[in-house]
Amino acid sequence: MRDQDIEYVINLIRDNSGVVLTKEKIYLIETRFYPLMVKYKKNKIHEFIDFVRTSGNDALKREVIDSLMTNETMFFRNSKPFEDFKDKILPYLLEQRQNTKKIRIWCAGCSSGQEPYSLAMILHEHKHLMQGWNVSIVATDISHGILEKAKSGKFTQFEVQRGLPITSLVKYFDKSDNNWVIKDEIKDYVTFQYFNLLDDPVLFGGFDIVFCRNVIIYFSLEDKKRVLEGFKKVLKSDGFLILGGSETTLGITESFSHSDITRNIYVMAKSA
Ligand SMILES: C[S@@+](CC[C@H](N)C(=O)[O-])C[C@H]1O[C@@H](n2cnc3c(N)ncnc32)[C@H](O)[C@@H]1O
């Protein structure tokens, strides 16, 4: 690939999604673009990139961005945050939100849905404690393709073998041909929608919990700060922010501090 093409792609992805492509990802550009080259009948990679650069076609740019996202996910990924959600955060909120009987969770960068559906399964197991409550999960992602998959609630055998206890598979999924489809009783907790984390989330309004795991790890320091400041705007003053295992707010913003629950769970800093 020509240097100017690589640079164009790196800038396009960073400016539109925040994601800074790693060296390994740069090697993958050609492979990831191949289906789009076939779709748009371009034989050479430089022809395709020129086409993207000059077409002014936003839908095409979105397809290009989608093709380079890292969508790796699994059910109950790194189980600890889910245990903390079940054993500590949920009991706290059930006590503190007695007046409103409302809990809102935002799962930001939800990929194909395993993370919000894992949370929904936990909520469902506690439904006897939430009679008359309004408990919902808003799950967002920048990739339209992955959101379509998430909304379908359809998972392959391989996907359900990753992290999902067999008892939950049997209880909450129906077999359909070679796939497994999540039941409506779980699906109904989750609303999927497009949202770019570089945008201002203020209109989303009041969340009790924000899960944003393994997303900002790929962002520049400046964009990490922008996203975290966005979470501050939409989190209730006693809400929780849950980041991925190798992500932190430290050195990026003083708006959050460690909760006394676990390393990757943050609360609003007293001075914020
Ligand atoms: C590695 S997956 C993480 C999925 C899930 N949170 C987990 O930990 O298993 C990262 C997701 O972030 C999404 N993403 C990347 N940049 C984004 C942005 N600017 N706004 C919203 N989602 C973004 C990607 O499309 C991808 O689905």
Side-chain angles (χ1 to χ4, degrees):
M1 265 177 86
R2 299 179 305 193
D3 285 353
Q4 75 252 38
D5 291 338
I6 296 178
E7 199 185 324
Y8 171 75
V9 174
I10 290 174
N11 291 341
L12 177 75
I13 303 299
R14 191 202 48 226
D15 296 348
N16 289 281
S17 72
V19 171
V20 179
L21 294 180
T22 57
K23 241 197 206 134
E24 296 75 46
K25 229 4 165 349
I26 291 168
Y27 290 126
L28 281 179
I29 291 177
E30 287 202 53
T31 322
R32 293 284 183 95
F33 282 0
Y34 185 70
L36 292 174
M37 289 168 61
V38 172
K39 179 173 171 187
Y40 291 100
K41 303 191 172 49
K42 302 290 171 204
N43 292 325
K44 299 264 178 351
I45 186 81
H46 69 86
E47 278 175 32
F48 177 67
I49 292 174
D50 283 343
F51 172 61
V52 176
R53 189 190 280 126
T54 55
S55 74
N57 178 341
D58 286 343
L60 169 64
K61 287 206 173 120
R62 277 201 299 273
E63 285 183 289
V64 167
I65 294 163
D66 271 28
S67 74
L68 283 170
M69 289 297 109
T70 301
N71 299 125
E72 167 63 14
T73 188
M74 58 188 274
F75 288 100
F76 298 98
R77 181 176 188 179
N78 309 122
S79 55
K80 184 81 169 90
F82 293 97
E83 283 161 27
D84 290 333
F85 170 71
K86 174 166 68 75
D87 298 335
K88 302 197 171 140
I89 299 177
L90 195 54
Y92 170 84
L93 290 174
L94 286 172
E95 201 180 308
Q96 294 299 314
R97 304 291 187 261
Q98 275 297 331
N99 287 340
T100 56
K101 296 203 176 341
K102 190 171 175 186
I103 299 176
R104 288 187 79 219
I105 302 168
W106 180 13
C107 204
C110 64
S111 189
S112 37
Q114 283 88 331
E115 187 175 66
Y117 287 138
S118 299
L119 293 169
M121 284 183 254
I122 296 175
L123 290 173
H124 194 73
E125 312 253 296
H126 291 77
K127 71 175 195 306
H128 58 286
L129 300 174
M130 300 187 301
Q131 302 286 333
W133 284 63
N134 178 352
V135 183
S136 59
I137 304 170
V138 178
T140 63
D141 203 280
I142 197 175
S143 163
H144 292 272
I146 209 73
L147 280 171
E148 284 312 306
K149 174 166 166 50
K151 271 185 214 165
S152 77
K154 202 187 258 188
F155 296 95
T156 62
Q157 183 70 36
F158 175 70
E159 287 165 332
V160 297
Q161 274 167 348
R162 298 183 71 207
L164 187 68
I166 184 78
T167 45
S168 303
L169 176 66
V170 172
K171 246 202 252 168
Y172 300 129
F173 290 75
D174 292 317
K175 188 106 203 264
S176 161
D177 300 325
N178 287 327
N179 294 308
W180 293 88
V181 183
I182 199 149
K183 291 188 171 159
D184 285 346
E185 60 186 355
I186 302 301
K187 217 177 180 185
D188 288 347
Y189 284 92
V190 191
T191 310
F192 289 98
Q193 68 184 81
Y194 170 88
F195 184 75
N196 184 345
L197 284 166
L198 295 185
D199 294 336
D200 189 339
V202 75
L203 289 179
F204 270 158
F207 287 101
D208 301 285
I209 314 172
V210 174
F211 271 78
C212 184
R213 300 164 66 230
N214 310 299
V215 182
I216 61 168
I217 187 173
Y218 304 108
F219 287 23
S220 68
L221 191 66
E222 190 189 349
D223 286 333
K224 282 180 179 154
K225 188 174 169 66
R226 176 166 162 185
V227 172
L228 293 173
E229 293 302 330
F231 292 154
K232 179 186 159 189
K233 287 190 198 166
V234 297
L235 256 181
K236 303 244 176 85
S237 57
D238 65 342
F240 300 89
L241 167 66
I242 294 132
L243 297 178
S246 40
E247 293 161 328
T248 179
T249 64
L250 294 181
I252 303 171
T253 169
E254 310 217 318
S255 298
F256 294 94
S257 57
H258 278 300
S259 72
D260 52 16
I261 302 177
T262 305
R263 209 169 54 87
N264 297 107
I265 301 185
Y266 295 85
V267 289
M268 215 72 88
K270 292 272 179 286
S271 55

